[in-house]
């Protein structure tokens, strides 16, 4: 088995600061060599042999799965890059501002050759603190890019007030309760905190727990759910029949995409849960962008860890629960028009 | 003769004079006579083919250049910075070279520096192949393959359609059939007289390496635990017939196959670094390299079937005589 090269997918709306970040990655002295796959060759004003142009050609796989789309150009470029084996350490894939991150992420799970040689490290989304609310109101792609992210760089924070930042962060967390948010000015984030994060590694999900689904109050990525014991916006509002299209600023759950956090203190029946999750992804896969979870399976000492990108599910029994550790199951689904009540009911019905 | 280079072996082949050469991921071409040609400085070679003149190799690189290398040096044939050249074919019969650069297929004539044809496609071209006479070019792309007359300007392509992404292409030696390898683990084929579709599936991996042999009566492919041989004789080719698998080994996949169009010897390079050859009139396979390593990425038989050359992902390579 050859070493898998880590790949960071960099998304973000036009003007969010992706190019500035890429320029930093290519010019800073960090001791690593990155191959960068860009969509608009020439935008990066750097003459570097490892900057490669790509065409964002998305196609459907002939495997009967409607949401199973991949980037054909990426498969070709990655296969070409492998011929430079040993001359770079990691790969960054930049997507266009209007791109749906689904096909690029799925490429790393669907194509066996790509899967054998590379591993998706994270989907990192750069957002512009000043304009993100407008973008979220008028662009489906902007909402999807945030929903899809493993981490979010909230850029240009110097251009808005603290109150604005908090409102923006609230709205981002409504779309994606999983991704930590890192504030930045002029895309200046420590590169070691965004690259090579193993955000897609199931083992890593376990390492990050028990707080991975809900970092403590006051920390980046914290979500208000039933465990933090105060009133919040997650337990109401989805059944009001309100208009989903007006999407005014600050009304977080007017977004068609949201994250639904579920948890259960009782052990879960493994067979029932697997069946429920398979059926859910088969039916709602096109609308479910991401899912992650840790499950306490009845009669099993190890925890079941899973994550999904649309219909593509990866799951594994990981390290055992420690004696005295709080055993509970947690899952987050991020998607479009999710029926939170039905999800909760289905999840809870898996109790052993 | 075991060899070791410090870069990925993109291609290992024989030119028409029978001289072995290696095209590498570090941009160099190495000849068996020990010359090193810096064909693509600071770049990687993505594809290679024997030059139509019979002397040396034509290589495409991730520097956007097409280069002709002979032991005495390199000549640039084409360059467009920023566009990879990752597929090339050449025909000694017609003296033409065809290569893919993004969505274009370009054709050059080695005897006429002014000759240039550009064939545009809607999607990126993944592979190009000449027919045996070097008159037609097939381009593998998304949604099927496009056929072009290599010398004609301003023509419309004959489109052979099949949903999906086609990543490799080859004509049968008699020009009656066209076969593509797909993004899925399958081959697709067309009988060119009536564009009748042929589906060849059941592979555990992508069958990207294709070689015709036995005067076109057989087609060997990679993508399975053994080498897969499809019958291509008669008017119907493989339609309604079964493939056979030789050299089956549960622990490895065949990554590369090689043969010559008129010959009866096949060679296989495995994804665990092993290499074997088989003579179709005999049973069993003859192990050429039994040592395991990284996946074989390049493999070729000399035109007279007397020698075999291979290379792997890590730069290990070999050249052996198959006679006595």
């Amino acid at each position: 088995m050859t070493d898998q090269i880590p790949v960071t997918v960099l998304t973000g709306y036009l003007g969010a600061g992706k190019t500035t970040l890429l320029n930093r990655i290519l010019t800073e002295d960090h001791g690593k060599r990155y191959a960068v796959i860009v969509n608009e060759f020439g935008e990066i004003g750097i003459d570097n042999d490892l900057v490669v142009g790509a065409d964002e050609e998305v196609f459907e796989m002939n495997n009967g799965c409607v949401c199973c789309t991949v980037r054909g150009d990426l498969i070709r470029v990655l296969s070409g890059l492998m011929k430079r084996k040993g001359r770079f350490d990691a790969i960054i894939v930049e997507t266009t501002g209007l791109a749906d991150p689904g096909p690029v992420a799925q490429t790393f799970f669907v194509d066996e050759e790509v899967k054998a040689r590379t591993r998706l490290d994270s989907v990192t989304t750069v957002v512009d603190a000043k304009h993100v609310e407008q973008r979220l109101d008028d662009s489906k792609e902007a909402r999807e890019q945030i929903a899809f992210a493993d981490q979010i760089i909230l850029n240009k924070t110097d251009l808005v007030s603290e109150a604005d930042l908090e409102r923006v962060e609230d709205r981002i967390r409504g779309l994606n309760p999983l991704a930590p948010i890192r504030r930045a000015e002029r895309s200046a984030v420590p590169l070691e905190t965004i690259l090579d994060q193993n955000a897609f590694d199931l083992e890593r999900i376990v390492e990050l727990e028990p707080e991975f689904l809900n970092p403590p109050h006051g920390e980046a990525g914290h979500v208000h759910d039933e465990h933090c014991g105060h009133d919040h916006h997650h337990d109401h509002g989805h059944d009001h029949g309100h208009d989903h299209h007006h999407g005014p600023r600050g009304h977080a759950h007017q977004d068609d995409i949201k994250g639904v956090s579920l948890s259960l203190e009782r052990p879960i029946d493994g067979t029932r849960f697997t069946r429920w999750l398979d059926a859910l992804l088969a039916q709602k896969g096109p609308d479910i962008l991401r899912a992650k979870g840790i499950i306490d399976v009845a009669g099993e000492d190890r925890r079941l860890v899973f994550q999904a990108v649309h219909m593509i599910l990866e799951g594994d029994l990981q390290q055992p629960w420690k004696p005295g550790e709080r055993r509970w199951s947690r899952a987050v689904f991020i998607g479009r028009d999710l029926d939170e009540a039905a999800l909760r009911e289905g999840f809870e019905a898996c109790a052993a | 003769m075991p060899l070791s280079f410090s870069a990925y072996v993109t291609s290992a082949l024989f030119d028409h004079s029978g001289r072995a050469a290696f095209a590498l991921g570090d941009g160099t071409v190495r000849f068996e006579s020990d010359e090193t040609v810096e064909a693509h400085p600071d770049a990687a070679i993505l594809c290679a083919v024997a030059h139509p003149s019979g002397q040396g190799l034509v290589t495409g690189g991730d520097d956007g250049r097409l280069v002709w290398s002979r032991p005495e040096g390199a000549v640039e044939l084409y360059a467009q910075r920023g566009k990879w050249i990752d597929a090339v074919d050449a025909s000694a019969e017609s003296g033409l070279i065809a290569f893919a650069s993004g969505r274009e297929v370009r054709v050059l004539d080695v005897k006429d520096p002014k000759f240039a044809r550009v064939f545009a496609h809607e999607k990126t071209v993944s592979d190009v192949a000449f027919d045996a006479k070097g008159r037609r070019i097939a381009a593998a792309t998304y949604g099927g393959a496009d056929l072009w007359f290599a010398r004609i300007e301003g023509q419309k392509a004959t489109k052979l359609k099949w949903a999906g992404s086609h990543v490799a292409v080859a004509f049968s030696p008699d020009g009656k059939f066209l076969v593509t390898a797909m993004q899925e683990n399958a081959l697709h084929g067309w009988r060119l007289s009536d564009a009748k579709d042929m589906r060849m599936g059941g592979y555990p991996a992508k069958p990207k390496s294709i070689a015709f042999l036995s005067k076109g009566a057989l087609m060997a492919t990679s993508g399975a635990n053994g080498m897969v041989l499809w019958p291509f004789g008669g008017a119907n080719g493989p339609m309604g017939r079964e493939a056979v698998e030789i050299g089956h080994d549960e622990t490895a996949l065949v990554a590369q196959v090689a043969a010559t169009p008129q010959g009866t010897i096949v060679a296989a390079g495995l994804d665990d670094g092993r290499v074997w050859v088989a003579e179709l009139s005999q049973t069993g396979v003859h192990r050429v390299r039994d040592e395991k390593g990284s996946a074989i990425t390049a493999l070729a038989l000399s035109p007279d079937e007397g020698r075999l050359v291979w290379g792997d992902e890590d730069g290990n390579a070999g050249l052996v005589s198959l006679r006595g």
Side-chain angles (χ1 to χ4, degrees), chain A residues 240-259:
Chain A
H240 296 173
H242 54 218
D243 181 6
H244 278 251
H245 301 291
H246 65 84
R249 280 164 190 254
H251 289 213
H253 38 252
Q254 301 296 337
D255 286 320
D256 53 347
I257 293 173
K258 65 179 172 185

Side-chain angles (χ1 to χ4, degrees), chain A residues 136-151:
Chain A
L136 290 175
D137 288 343
D138 61 25
S139 156
K140 166 175 162 281
E141 289 80 11
R143 293 192 292 273
E144 284 179 349
Q145 287 168 0
I146 286 179
F148 225 93
D150 293 290
Q151 56 187 350

Side-chain angles (χ1 to χ4, degrees), chain A residues 47 62 84 87 111 117, chain B residues 25 62 81 183 206 313:
Chain A
D47 192 30
N62 288 334
R84 284 181 173 255
R87 288 152 74 191
D111 188 273
R117 284 169 175 71
Chain B
D62 63 7
R81 187 151 168 80
Q183 166 64 25
K206 282 186 218 175
E313 264 178 26

Side-chain angles (χ1 to χ4, degrees), chain A residues 58 124 281 313 350:
Chain A
V58 173
T124 298
L281 295 176
L313 175 66
C350 297

Side-chain angles (χ1 to χ4, degrees), chain A residues 56-75 100-111 144 148 285-286 309-312, chain B residues 142 183-184:
Chain A
E56 298 213 338
E57 289 182 348
V58 173
F59 63 80
E60 272 172 44
M61 292 289 291
N62 288 334
N63 59 4
C65 165
V66 288
C67 56
C68 219
T69 48
V70 297
R71 286 263 308 269
D73 60 309
L74 199 54
I75 295 172
D100 166 8
V104 59
Q106 291 184 144
T107 303
F108 295 90
F109 297 93
V110 169
D111 188 273
E144 284 179 349
F148 225 93
V309 173
H310 289 302
M311 288 185 189
I312 300 166
Chain B
Y142 182 58
Q183 166 64 25
E184 290 80 23

